[in-house]
Amino acid sequence: MAQQTPPIGVKLTVDVEYRAGFPNPHRARVRWFDPETKKRLSRSEMLPDEDAAQAWVDRMVRAASRGATPAMATMSLAEYGDEYWDLAMRGLEAKTMDPYGAGWRLRVVPTLGHLQVPTVSHGVIDRAVYGWIADGHGRSSVKNTIAPLARVMQQAVRDGIIEVNPAQITGWQRTYQQAEDELDDPRSLALPDYKALETLADALVERSADQFLGWGSVVRFAGCTAARIGEVSGVRVQDIDRDAWTWEVCRQTTPGPGGLIDKGTKGKRRRTVPLIPEIRPLVAARLDAVGHDPMARLFTGPRGGRITTAVLRDATHWDEVVLKLGYEHLRRHDMRHTGLTWMADAGVPIHVLQKIAGHGSITTTQRYLHPSKRSIHLAGAALSSYLAGGQKAVGPKLVPEPAPQRHLRIVR
């Protein structure tokens, strides 16, 4: 797949051409002679504007000046890792290779493998690490995922494809204190209202290659039930109570040895989630479509496959869609934060919200109870009314008033 690196300073012929009628109309192209085969080779990329095309050409020229072919410089991370895996992992003990290989295969490739090596930035890796932690992977699993990624990216530095290794990150362990149910302010990650959820779902369907309506159904269902994408993928017909309109959350789909597997939910806690009227027609349509098999999956991909957060991202061009909608940092997992935030604002009692969320600690649930703007305005109005009227305070007191003295009377 990869080609031999030519001598440093190989001469490239470059050009940028505008081609009308294409979504990305500017074609950037580099051509060169292979020093071994003497054949003329080329690599091109269609880009949205002239500046992006020129930047791509400049990157190819810089890579070639350091000894990397344009073919190598435009390889995806998955392709590059497969091609140079042994070189990147040299010196490691055999017992280390298995967990590193699993981390690469199960997490790096599904999350970042489609990106070209030079486009894997510090920010991209930060968000990937956060996503792995939020998906419930332990510290050891994440460590064994970052380590091979850092080695592969370091090999790319040695090959001259990139200048700095973006995977040499520190402090990621502290992210566990802010991940998923431990976020300082999970409300900040929520969509503002149901209309925004509908807009997002429709945009994802429209951007997907086949306009598969199921992508929108998954997003709507996740947002209205405060569920993880893996839990949505794990829903089966038998988990839905169509009379009470509830969902018994008891499994999730997650990467495992040999591929995707179904296992218990995070924390091994079953929970019951209400199905609100907004999504009941959607659920009813899915139940009717899959038939009466109690083990049939309620949500699948266009070919009947299991859905993961990576599958949803790639099929719907998630990053591109959320950027256009103004939610640059919105992740698939934030559908869960959206649902829990809405329930908290709707006045769901905290002990009930804890059961719906499946939180082990009430302090985790309390993070969703930050006051909304409306409640803040009401608090200000209440204070203003109190000060203007000179009324006696009726709110909670830091020091309780002494109890009235009772005098005992002895009766003979």
Side-chain angles (χ1 to χ4, degrees):
M1 186 177 297
Q3 302 179 29
Q4 290 293 324
T5 302
I8 293 177
V10 64
K11 184 178 180 180
L12 296 181
T13 302
V14 304
D15 65 86
V16 175
E17 178 184 2
Y18 177 78
R19 293 188 168 186
F22 290 90
N24 296 318
H26 292 81
R27 188 196 68 176
R29 183 176 62 172
V30 295
R31 292 182 291 177
W32 72 99
F33 282 102
D34 186 280
E36 294 184 359
T37 65
K38 306 301 181 182
K39 292 182 179 179
R40 189 171 179 82
L41 305 176
S42 68
R43 181 58 62 99
S44 62
E45 186 88 7
M46 300 298 292
L47 296 160
D49 54 60
E50 187 173 357
D51 290 340
Q54 188 60 51
W56 184 89
V57 167
D58 293 341
R59 179 157 56 84
M60 293 300 102
V61 172
R62 288 196 300 271
S65 69
R66 294 192 293 267
T69 66
M72 180 189 294
T74 55
M75 293 174 74
S76 70
L77 180 61
E79 293 170 340
Y80 183 81
D82 290 344
E83 187 71 22
Y84 299 105
W85 178 262
D86 292 339
L87 191 60
M89 301 298 142
R90 64 186 182 274
L92 291 178
E93 297 182 7
K95 65 179 182 180
T96 306
M97 294 299 296
D98 286 342
Y100 278 20
W104 176 267
R105 184 178 65 259
L106 299 178
R107 284 173 285 280
V108 175
V109 172
T111 306
L112 305 172
H114 63 292
L115 300 174
Q116 291 184 0
V117 175
T119 66
V120 181
S121 64
H122 288 282
V124 168
I125 292 179
D126 280 342
R127 287 190 288 274
V129 172
Y130 183 91
W132 297 329
I133 296 173
D135 286 340
H137 298 293
R139 292 174 185 264
S140 179
S141 296
V142 174
K143 172 182 173 293
N144 290 328
T145 302
I146 296 175
L149 174 60
R151 279 182 162 264
V152 169
M153 298 306 291
Q154 189 60 38
Q155 182 61 41
V157 172
R158 288 192 289 267
D159 282 337
I161 301 175
I162 56 178
E163 297 180 358
V164 179
N165 186 345
Q168 291 180 337
I169 58 176
T170 59
W172 59 268
Q173 294 89 341
R174 292 194 298 271
T175 307
Y176 274 90
Q177 300 174 358
Q178 298 179 332
E180 219 292 36
D181 292 336
E182 300 176 358
L183 283 166
D184 288 335
D185 185 14
R187 297 175 58 90
S188 65
L189 303 175
L191 288 171
D193 48 42
Y194 185 73
K195 182 179 179 180
L197 178 64
E198 288 275 274
T199 301
L200 172 63
D202 292 340
L204 293 171
V205 171
E206 181 65 26
R207 185 62 183 85
S208 64
D210 49 5
Q211 281 79 53
F212 178 56
L213 296 177
W215 302 129
S217 298
V218 167
V219 171
R220 289 183 176 90
F221 187 86
C224 291
T225 58
R228 304 171 179 90
I229 298 300
E231 293 171 340
V232 176
S233 179
V235 183
R236 299 183 186 270
V237 170
Q238 66 178 11
D239 303 330
I240 303 295
D241 186 337
R242 200 167 183 170
D243 296 325
W245 286 112
T246 57
W247 167 31
E248 189 74 10
V249 186
C250 55
R251 75 180 64 79
Q252 62 177 332
T253 299
T254 185
L260 296 176
I261 61 173
D262 285 338
K263 67 175 186 179
T265 59
K266 183 180 179 183
K268 311 302 180 185
R269 289 183 290 269
R270 298 174 68 99
R271 64 187 194 272
T272 302
V273 174
L275 300 176
I276 61 177
E278 283 77 4
I279 58 170
R280 289 177 187 174
L282 180 158
V283 175
R286 292 302 307 149
L287 289 172
D288 293 340
V290 300
H292 301 288
D293 180 4
M295 295 303 292
R297 293 181 182 276
L298 202 64
F299 299 101
T300 61
R303 299 181 181 179
R306 284 179 282 191
I307 297 170
T308 66
T309 181
V311 169
L312 178 62
R313 177 203 63 211
D314 294 343
T316 61
H317 300 270
W318 177 283
D319 295 337
E320 174 188 326
V321 171
V322 297
L323 181 62
K324 288 183 177 180
L325 293 178
Y327 306 121
E328 181 179 0
H329 301 294
L330 188 74
R331 304 160 304 141
R332 279 74 60 198
H333 192 75
D334 293 337
M335 297 301 97
R336 173 168 167 81
H337 299 310
T338 292
L340 292 176
T341 298
W342 290 352
M343 292 182 192
D345 287 349
V348 175
I350 187 170
H351 67 283
V352 177
L353 186 60
Q354 180 188 8
K355 290 184 178 296
I356 292 175
H359 292 156
S361 171
I362 196 75
T363 58
T364 301
T365 313
Q366 287 174 333
R367 293 189 173 96
Y368 290 91
L369 302 181
H370 294 178
S372 63
K373 290 184 179 179
R374 179 174 180 274
S375 61
I376 290 175
H377 289 312
L378 290 176
L383 175 60
S384 179
S385 176
Y386 163 71
L387 294 176
Q391 302 174 11
K392 183 179 179 180
V394 295
K397 300 176 178 59
L398 295 178
V399 181
E401 294 180 351
Q405 297 293 325
R406 297 182 181 272
H407 300 281
L408 300 179
R409 183 167 59 89
I410 298 177
V411 179
R412 298 182 181 276

